[in-house]
Amino acid sequence: MEYNTQKTLLQMPEYGRIIQQLVERCKEIENREERNDMAVAIVDFMGQRNPQLRDEDNYKHKLWDHLFILASYDLDVDSPYHIPTAEEMQVKPKRMDYPVLQGEFKFYGKSILQLIDKAIELESGDEKDALIQVIANNMKKSYNVYNKEHVQDDVIFRHLKDLSGNRLDLTVLDSLEKSKIYYATNRTNRPNNGKNNQGNQNNPNSQNKRRNFQNNKNRK
């Protein structure tokens, strides 16, 4: 019995051993034209075995790259694309730089920072003042939602000033708009005992229950 561990190592297991064997057979063909024809047939077969690749951009290019990976980069055929090398395929992608938010301000999000940068670029005028007020009101909503508590306007003014590097100042404003999210949540959670009691008293079902209870008590 021959175990899989004793067989040739699969370069890309997702394609299976059949395609791996076809690639090895293609490498053995001496006639270049026949070798090219078989390489094209193998690429088409690889596409049929992995139809999900068709949803990706340049999927044909990826299939040809995979063909050379399966061949351990030792396949002499005419490719319609650049023939990759082992060194090129082993190059790691560049590290992505994520936006760095200051610790206590992380709940404001990247969009607020982008708006602040935009406001800084604008010249002084009504448009800039309107954008600053929009930023501050959204900062207040984000603060209330994240921290689940009401925040005073002067705190928002201070945070905006810090995030903008002292280039945006809202101290001329008296107050910000009330955060509808925060206040709507509080109204929903606010106790309403007085109205509920009054409603129960006017409810016919409640009156019938009390009357039946009194009648049963008198019978005893």
Side-chain angles (χ1 to χ4, degrees):
M1 178 180 291
E2 185 180 12
Y3 295 96
N4 287 335
T5 54
Q6 298 173 324
K7 297 179 181 179
T8 305
L9 179 65
L10 295 178
Q11 299 296 331
M12 300 186 70
E14 58 268 31
Y15 285 108
R17 189 164 298 278
I18 294 178
I19 291 181
Q20 181 74 56
Q21 292 173 341
L22 289 174
V23 173
E24 296 298 330
R25 173 68 183 116
C26 183
K27 293 167 62 174
E28 297 173 358
I29 297 177
E30 296 182 359
N31 185 283
R32 185 178 186 84
E33 185 176 352
E34 294 180 1
R35 194 165 59 246
N36 285 334
D37 292 340
M38 186 170 183
V40 172
I42 292 174
V43 169
D44 291 339
F45 187 33
M46 291 166 61
Q48 295 175 9
R49 293 288 300 270
N50 294 271
Q52 71 277 4
L53 291 177
R54 298 177 183 176
D55 298 331
E56 301 181 15
D57 296 334
N58 300 324
Y59 84 98
K60 276 286 188 181
H61 193 172
K62 292 181 180 180
L63 289 176
W64 277 93
D65 286 346
H66 292 173
L67 174 66
F68 288 104
I69 294 174
L70 291 170
S72 299
Y73 307 98
D74 183 23
L75 180 61
D76 185 16
V77 294
D78 297 327
S79 171
Y81 307 99
H82 168 70
I83 298 178
T85 63
E87 292 75 16
E88 291 175 348
M89 300 301 290
Q90 291 175 358
V91 174
K92 295 182 179 180
K94 295 182 180 179
R95 184 180 180 86
M96 293 184 63
D97 294 328
Y98 288 90
V100 179
L101 297 176
Q102 300 183 38
E104 61 175 316
F105 302 139
K106 60 183 179 180
F107 48 84
Y108 288 132
K110 181 181 177 181
S111 58
I112 289 294
L113 295 183
Q114 292 174 336
L115 289 174
I116 290 175
D117 291 339
K118 180 62 177 178
I120 293 173
E121 295 174 357
L122 292 176
E123 296 182 359
S124 299
D126 294 339
E127 183 180 0
K128 182 170 185 174
D129 293 340
L131 180 56
I132 295 175
Q133 294 187 42
V134 168
I135 294 172
N137 280 300
N138 279 279
M139 288 174 61
K140 187 170 184 178
K141 293 176 182 178
S142 298
Y143 187 103
N144 290 339
V145 171
Y146 183 86
N147 295 287
K148 298 181 181 179
E149 62 180 11
H150 181 60
V151 58
Q152 298 297 325
D153 291 347
D154 59 340
V155 175
I156 299 299
F157 297 157
R158 187 174 67 253
H159 289 181
L160 178 60
K161 191 174 182 180
D162 291 342
L163 289 172
S164 64
N166 299 328
R167 285 173 288 181
L168 298 180
D169 190 358
L170 272 181
T171 55
V172 296
L173 291 181
D174 294 332
S175 62
L176 296 172
E177 296 177 2
K178 291 183 177 180
S179 173
K180 296 181 180 179
I181 298 176
Y182 172 76
Y183 284 97
T185 303
N186 278 337
R187 282 199 299 269
T188 303
N189 298 330
R190 189 178 300 161
N192 200 14
N193 295 333
K195 293 183 179 180
N196 290 339
N197 291 337
Q198 184 178 0
N200 289 336
Q201 292 176 359
N202 296 330
N203 192 331
N205 293 331
S206 299
Q207 295 177 358
N208 291 334
K209 290 180 179 179
R210 289 197 298 272
R211 189 180 300 110
N212 292 335
F213 175 79
Q214 188 64 32
N215 292 337
N216 292 332
K217 186 177 181 181
N218 293 334
R219 291 194 188 99
K220 295 178 180 179

